[in-house]
Amino acid sequence: MLQDAAPISVPEGASAMTLHVEWEPGDPGTPPHRHSGPAFGYVIEGAVRFELEGEPERVVEAGGTFWEPGGDPIHYQDGNALADARTRFVVTMMCAPGKPMLELVDEEELKQRAHLRAPRPTD
């Protein structure tokens, strides 16, 4: 078994999409966003920098998995954690009817929810 996630909530009438994502070295990935339904990922090559609201930032290396529940939590980071190598992963996302698969979060909401973000690692 690669991943076990529970409990999950799939929006009634949801659709699903599976993507193969490739990032060049150092690619920051998608800006802060959320999904209307859960998302499940598997890192094929490289390493993904992953940060979900309320959880500390972590790096998921090749062979590792990640998931997010969807709905309200903000997905802060999902970029390539490697400055010198490509990263590839597969992700399956579920989407509520009538909602976009991915919704970017604006700066104002990020400020309002800053207290929900886990402490950041120090450089």
Side-chain angles (χ1 to χ4, degrees):
M1 178 183 341
L2 295 173
Q3 182 171 218
D4 183 21
I8 66 167
S9 177
V10 178
E12 173 115 14
S15 61
M17 173 188 302
T18 300
L19 300 169
H20 177 241
V21 179
E22 290 190 28
W23 285 323
E24 293 303 315
D27 190 320
T30 309
H33 63 278
R34 64 172 51 94
H35 301 283
S36 62
F40 301 87
Y42 176 78
V43 181
I44 299 166
E45 173 186 1
V48 173
R49 185 172 311 284
F50 187 87
E51 182 188 0
L52 190 62
E53 187 170 71
E55 297 179 6
E57 175 185 313
R58 62 189 170 103
V59 173
V60 183
E61 296 180 347
T65 63
F66 57 88
W67 87 283
E68 57 184 287
D72 192 49
I74 295 172
H75 186 168
Y76 286 97
Q77 294 188 70
D78 65 0
N80 187 346
L82 305 176
D84 59 352
R86 174 180 300 165
T87 288
R88 298 185 309 127
F89 67 94
V90 173
V91 62
T92 298
M93 300 177 288
M94 296 174 201
C95 184
K99 298 267 189 170
M101 189 63 74
L102 182 145
E103 176 186 1
L104 295 180
V105 177
D106 64 33
E107 289 297 322
E108 182 61 31
E109 185 176 1
L110 290 173
K111 288 178 191 172
Q112 292 171 356
R113 296 174 70 112
H115 67 286
L116 299 173
R117 193 172 187 178
R120 310 275 298 131
T122 56
D123 294 312

